[in-house]
Amino acid sequence: MHKWLIAILFLGSTAQAVPVYRWVDENGRVNYSDRPGPGAVLIELSTGAPSPDVGLSSPRGQQPAMAPQTPAVTAYETLAVLQPASRETLWGTAGRVEVAIGISPDLQPRHSLALYLDGALAEFGIHATKVAIENVPRGEHTVQAVILDETDGELLRSAPVTFFVQQTSINYPLNPGRAR
């Protein structure tokens, strides 16, 4: 659409020149209009043969804004451990704890997740939002999720979630206090 506007303006031979403005919006998209947008520069059009330096003229000697060369990183709105629930007691897990992570917006392609159990790295380089941590002993534990960038730098850390693991004792398997 924008290319047609430029082509028509180049080919048109009207007596009065129509101003054309160019700007790059916050999403990196190039826009053209007869009304200036934020950071717009006036494009000088001529009906003669274009020379290599004809194109953008910038008010007050500013350089025109260029579209970013790398894709923009979307900011994450939320990161939370959804499972286990806060203060939840897990029974008979045989040391395996399922962790579900909520991320909004979705995890970006070059990013990954890390999980910390009791402050120590438990899983690294995860791309799924459901992970099982093995060999979790009985007792009180805290789990946190972290979003990592492509250089393994921390972008965002979830709030810690405390949960409890209970196991039937092998020394006292028929615990009379346990509901059947």
Side-chain angles (χ1 to χ4, degrees):
M1 173 77 176
H2 296 154
K3 292 178 183 177
W4 287 106
L5 174 65
I6 297 296
I8 290 169
L9 291 173
F10 270 115
L11 296 175
S13 59
T14 61
Q16 184 177 16
V18 176
V20 177
Y21 295 92
R22 177 188 184 273
W23 72 94
V24 179
D25 65 17
E26 61 275 354
N27 296 323
R29 242 185 339 235
V30 177
N31 296 285
Y32 296 93
S33 178
D34 60 343
R35 289 181 225 120
V41 293
L42 178 65
I43 298 177
E44 307 242 349
L45 302 176
S46 70
T47 57
S51 66
D53 60 345
V54 170
L56 302 176
S57 71
S58 153
R60 291 171 275 181
Q62 297 172 346
Q63 290 294 324
M66 300 307 256
Q69 298 298 323
T70 58
V73 175
T74 303
Y76 291 101
E77 295 171 10
T78 58
L79 174 64
V81 174
L82 305 176
Q83 178 187 340
S86 180
R87 312 297 293 167
E88 180 178 9
T89 299
L90 305 174
W91 287 91
T93 65
R96 180 183 172 97
V97 174
E98 299 282 332
V99 178
I101 303 161
I103 303 171
S104 177
D106 290 339
L107 191 65
Q108 295 182 25
R110 291 185 286 176
H111 295 169
S112 62
L113 294 168
L115 280 179
Y116 287 85
L117 179 67
D118 301 328
L121 186 63
E123 297 286 332
F124 185 78
I126 307 163
H127 295 281
T129 55
K130 288 194 175 187
V131 179
I133 302 176
E134 303 291 339
N135 303 317
V136 180
R138 71 177 67 197
E140 180 179 333
H141 300 282
T142 303
V143 67
Q144 270 187 306
V146 175
I147 297 176
L148 304 171
D149 65 12
E150 57 272 0
T151 63
D152 297 331
E154 185 175 314
L155 294 174
L156 185 62
R157 183 178 288 259
S158 73
V161 171
T162 300
F163 65 96
F164 306 93
V165 174
Q166 296 291 327
Q167 301 291 348
T168 303
S169 171
I170 59 172
N171 294 328
Y172 196 39
L174 300 176
N175 184 347
R178 184 168 175 224
R180 295 177 199 216

